[in-house]
Amino acid sequence: MSSTVESSTPSKVDVLVIGAGPAGLTCALGLAKAGVNVRIVDHSPTKVQSGHADGVMPRTIEVLQSHGLADALLKDANQVYTISNYNYEADVGIKCAGRVTMINEPTARYPFAATQNQGVMEGILGDALLKEGAVIERPVRPTAIDLSTDENELKDPDAYPIKVRVKKLNEEEAAEELVHAKYVVGADGAHSWVRRALNVPMEGEQTAHVWAAIDFTPTPDSNFPDWRNIATVNAKDVGIMLIPREGGKIRLYVELGSEDGLVNAESGRLDSAQFSPDRLLEIAKKAFAPFVLKTTPENVEWWTVYVIGQRVASTFSVKDRVFIAGDACHTHSPKGGQGMNVSINDAHNLAWKLAYTIRGWAGTSLLDTYEFERRSFALELIAFDKWFAEGFSAKARAKLIAEGNNVDLPGPLEAFRAFSSVTTGIRIRYAPSIITATAPDKTDENGPYTLTVGKRLPPQVVLRVADRRPVNVQDLCLSNGRFKLFVFTGDVLSADDIQSLNKLTTDLDALLSELPKGLLEVFSIIKAKDDAITYMDVPQTLRPHWTSIHFDGHASGPVYDAYGINREGALVVFRPDGISGNF
Ligand SMILES: Cc1cc2nc3c(=O)[nH]c(=O)nc-3n(C[C@H](O)[C@H](O)[C@H](O)COP(=O)(O)OP(=O)(O)OC[C@H]3O[C@@H](n4cnc5c(N)ncnc54)[C@H](O)[C@@H]3O)c2cc1C
């Protein structure tokens, strides 16, 4: 590989992101906002125009909000609150077996899934990136990559140990460029060129599952009652999942069996020529009987058929220099609505770690925590995907029972609820590491809002002292590449507390003077509900700006109690990705 890499025009960059899907864009955005010199290339001439991933889960919406982008997403997205289940009964056809609330997380700030096509997400992230001065370079493809094997070079934080040759695809005779990068992020999808170029194997289920997806607007005479809710449909011969979408559209996911003859047994390749939207709609028509669910050809917006396995890359990084994120490192069925979410959250986890390492604020061991945290989550997701597949698939159930298995399989609604922490992203808890300390007395979760090391900051409303404006604490935890120190001061009107606050301030001043400027932001939350309180009532260090001091006085309820903090107060550190790192 390296011989061809050498022969092009050279340039230098801190991070080269390959792939401008949701993962690559989120990573590039996080890096650009942290002031890192980043480039992002994609071989496709345009962003996704329609179809592809469609569901944005509650934690992902919180992450977008931390970038100031939730409003842009929610402006036109559909909101899903309910999930229903239909099962086949002989002589009847499908019949509703129940409906449940889709998001069962009391702390969800956005208690719904937002659905719209992937292009909208890419547009929102791409525009935000542009505002940071970074342009998506397309159509541009890497043609060779060479990662140094010199251990000294790999360890040197100032070295550029990766050479990537990239080619502009719209200029026939264009010279190739040789990019020297400190880090490369392969966010180039399920068939990742980066992953394959560095020989990172995928591990897991080798069986290929064939999925079809179709987006359309139903005709007015369609009478399926749950078309504005998610519906899992266990029809006689096929499992279908219906997703309500923006603008009155719906998506059907159809899990096709290998008996449909779509995959060539020898090559393992999909013969999509055998397929068409008409055939898909015909399958749906039969599956939804006795209900009518139909459309006209001009109302079909997009369709696809693809093969997918449940796999996770054996490693998410090579030598802590080349990282893979998103679909490049995990593939699974679309049933849990996770593809875009996990990918965005991988990148959200990785971007600040790269930024801190590049700025010299952390050693390379910080980078190890990316794989440690996100690979474990990917494995959990695959476990959910398998379990959900069994609960969802009529064929799988029938097969297991026919084979004499004494199975007690979950129904799709139970499966979805049981794995709510995975599917919503809300209750993800990262295990102890160098960035999520173990705090033995502070890790018991007494209530849903209890602040817990390794988990995200649950939303609560406090009043800003200076102007009594209600503020959601999550909006203090912006994705700006900085750690946040939340000082829960206790009641500053009591003499004892003022004394301990003064002591704390002295300690904090000493700590802040040792940290690089801009690494840590300080916010204070006072316990008092007292109307007389002003923002001058706490020492200067705890109110670096008039917007940084709040009190627990909002009518929605006492924040200290919800968070499990007593009147003596507490110090809580949040990582730049909004996860509690220490108590
Ligand atoms: C055809 C297709 C249909 C899909 N349908 C669904 C669906 O129905 N439901 C669902 O939930 N998910 C679907 N997905 C998956 C979904 O798009 C991803 O789970 C999600 O977007 C993950 O984001 P990502 O950024 O990791 O990967 P992707 O969204 O795949 O983004 C990867 C990006 O990398 C670019 N790229 C790839 N290779 C190279 C290369 N060599 N050089 C430069 N750039 C490269 C691509 O153009 C793309 O922009 C589909 C994906 C594809 C490709």
Side-chain angles (χ1 to χ4, degrees):
M1 237 183 298
S2 52
S3 57
T4 49
V5 168
E6 293 300 343
S7 60
S8 337
T9 324
S11 64
K12 280 188 173 175
V13 71
D14 285 348
V15 184
L16 176 67
V17 178
I18 298 172
L25 288 167
T26 305
C27 189
L29 180 61
L31 289 165
K33 286 175 85 169
V36 171
N37 170 18
V38 56
R39 283 176 64 180
I40 177 165
V41 301
D42 196 292
H43 68 178
S44 172
T46 63
K47 69 179 174 70
V48 160
Q49 301 298 306
S50 54
H52 293 223
D54 55 357
V56 189
M57 292 296 182
R59 175 59 190 155
T60 312
I61 308 176
E62 289 179 2
V63 168
L64 288 172
Q65 172 66 6
S66 74
H67 281 289
L69 302 176
D71 286 351
L73 171 80
L74 299 179
K75 189 163 67 71
D76 298 318
N78 179 65
Q79 298 183 5
V80 187
Y81 289 86
T82 303
I83 178 164
S84 63
N85 175 219
Y86 283 73
N87 290 327
Y88 174 79
E89 285 182 16
D91 304 325
V92 177
I94 60 164
K95 195 172 164 193
C96 186
R99 289 181 191 91
V100 293
T101 307
M102 174 155 178
I103 306 297
N104 296 290
E105 295 296 322
T107 73
R109 182 173 179 183
Y110 305 97
F112 51 82
T115 52
Q116 37 65 97
N117 83 65
Q118 181 173 328
V120 175
M121 178 68 83
E122 293 186 4
I124 292 168
L125 292 168
D127 289 349
L129 189 58
L130 197 58
K131 280 196 190 136
E132 299 300 323
V135 178
I136 305 165
E137 299 170 45
R138 53 167 92 232
V140 172
R141 171 180 291 157
T143 56
I145 183 167
D146 179 37
L147 173 62
S148 172
T149 50
D150 178 342
E151 287 300 325
N152 291 331
E153 194 180 10
L154 289 169
K155 279 189 195 130
D156 177 359
D158 299 321
Y160 293 80
I162 316 156
K163 293 175 203 156
V164 185
R165 191 152 53 84
V166 296
K167 184 175 170 54
K168 286 185 185 160
L169 301 178
N170 57 0
E171 293 175 28
E172 253 175 49
E173 297 301 323
E176 293 186 343
E177 180 188 352
L178 179 63
V179 182
H180 294 249
K182 286 183 178 168
Y183 298 92
V184 165
V185 177
D188 49 349
H191 302 288
S192 173
W193 175 88
V194 175
R195 187 188 69 227
R196 282 180 286 131
L198 293 170
N199 296 318
V200 175
M202 294 293 275
E203 293 174 348
E205 175 75 62
Q206 289 310 308
T207 316
H209 300 270
V210 186
W211 281 89
I214 182 164
D215 292 351
F216 63 89
T217 308
T219 49
D221 56 336
S222 298
N223 65 2
F224 180 62
D226 277 282
W227 76 288
R228 298 315 300 167
N229 299 320
I230 287 182
T232 60
V233 178
N234 282 312
K236 183 162 182 268
D237 301 310
V238 71
I240 297 187
M241 192 167 205
L242 180 152
I243 312 283
R245 293 276 303 276
E246 77 280 15
K249 282 179 291 216
I250 59 173
R251 165 166 301 177
L252 298 182
Y253 283 115
V254 184
E255 186 172 10
L256 302 162
S258 49
E259 65 273 23
D260 295 299
L262 285 163
V263 181
N264 182 302
E266 271 175 31
S267 67
R269 285 184 183 277
L270 185 71
D271 183 4
S272 52
Q274 286 196 41
F275 228 70
S276 67
D278 286 348
R279 189 169 162 200
L280 262 181
L281 290 168
E282 198 48 41
I283 292 174
K285 187 176 156 192
K286 278 193 200 141
F288 277 86
F291 300 103
V292 174
L293 187 67
K294 62 180 189 180
T295 190
T296 53
E298 60 277 15
N299 282 321
V300 173
E301 186 185 87
W302 177 83
W303 73 282
T304 187
V305 54
Y306 54 96
V307 182
I308 207 149
Q310 291 156 324
R311 288 174 214 151
V312 177
S314 62
T315 178
F316 284 16
S317 90
V318 181
K319 303 271 184 198
D320 275 341
R321 287 289 182 168
V322 180
F323 295 84
I324 49 175
D327 275 15
C329 48
H330 38 67
T331 60
H332 43 84
S333 83
K335 281 190 295 263
Q338 292 300 303
M340 188 152 66
N341 296 277
V342 191
S343 302
I344 286 176
N345 284 290
D346 282 351
H348 185 58
N349 184 290
L350 175 62
W352 73 269
K353 295 174 181 175
L354 283 171
Y356 271 56
T357 312
I358 289 165
R359 299 185 82 165
W361 290 353
T364 48
S365 54
L366 176 63
L367 297 172
D368 294 334
T369 64
Y370 166 63
E371 174 171 319
F372 175 73
E373 295 184 335
R374 295 307 297 173
R375 192 165 185 275
S376 318
F377 179 71
L379 292 170
E380 230 183 292
L381 175 64
I382 299 295
F384 158 73
D385 201 41
K386 287 185 175 163
W387 200 49
F388 196 34
E390 302 303 317
F392 177 36
S393 162
K395 282 183 187 173
R397 277 169 175 265
K399 185 165 172 281
L400 283 168
I401 291 162
E403 286 167 356
N405 293 301
N406 182 15
V407 284
D408 183 16
L409 291 170
L413 302 185
E414 293 86 357
F416 212 84
R417 281 187 160 226
F419 276 85
S420 169
S421 63
V422 176
T423 54
T424 61
I426 291 288
R427 275 186 285 139
I428 289 177
R429 183 173 179 178
Y430 293 132
S433 70
I434 56 166
I435 46 168
T436 47
T438 317
D441 55 335
K442 295 287 181 192
T443 48
D444 290 341
E445 298 180 51
N446 300 319
Y449 287 93
T450 311
L451 286 182
T452 309
V453 173
K455 293 179 80 172
R456 88 356 169 171
L457 170 65
Q460 283 289 321
V461 181
V462 289
L463 293 181
R464 192 159 66 190
V465 174
D467 57 1
R468 269 44 181 181
R469 179 175 168 166
V471 172
N472 193 311
V473 288
Q474 284 193 336
D475 293 337
L476 303 176
C477 261
L478 297 181
S479 284
N480 55 11
R482 295 180 184 161
F483 274 83
K484 317 286 183 293
L485 175 65
F486 275 60
V487 182
F488 290 89
T489 61
D491 184 348
V492 294
L493 299 180
S494 94
D496 281 356
D497 282 314
I498 289 175
Q499 208 178 357
S500 57
L501 261 193
N502 286 335
K503 158 95 178 67
L504 168 74
T505 307
T506 312
D507 296 347
L508 201 55
D509 278 334
L511 172 75
L512 289 173
S513 68
E514 280 174 26
L515 291 176
K517 200 168 162 14
L519 185 145
L520 185 75
E521 281 181 293
V522 178
F523 294 98
S524 304
I525 299 177
I526 301 169
K527 182 162 173 56
K529 277 186 172 260
D530 198 303
D531 272 353
I533 197 158
T534 81
Y535 80 99
M536 303 299 285
D537 288 337
V538 297
Q540 173 83 50
T541 307
L542 304 184
R543 53 176 170 84
H545 192 261
W546 65 268
T547 55
S548 51
I549 177 152
H550 300 80
F551 74 109
D552 188 3
H554 191 255
S556 58
V559 170
Y560 272 60
D561 292 352
Y563 282 160
I565 295 172
N566 61 30
R567 64 169 299 285
E568 278 82 50
L571 291 177
V572 190
V573 178
F574 289 92
R575 304 168 4 176
D577 56 358
I579 301 294
S580 167
N582 207 342
F583 221 111

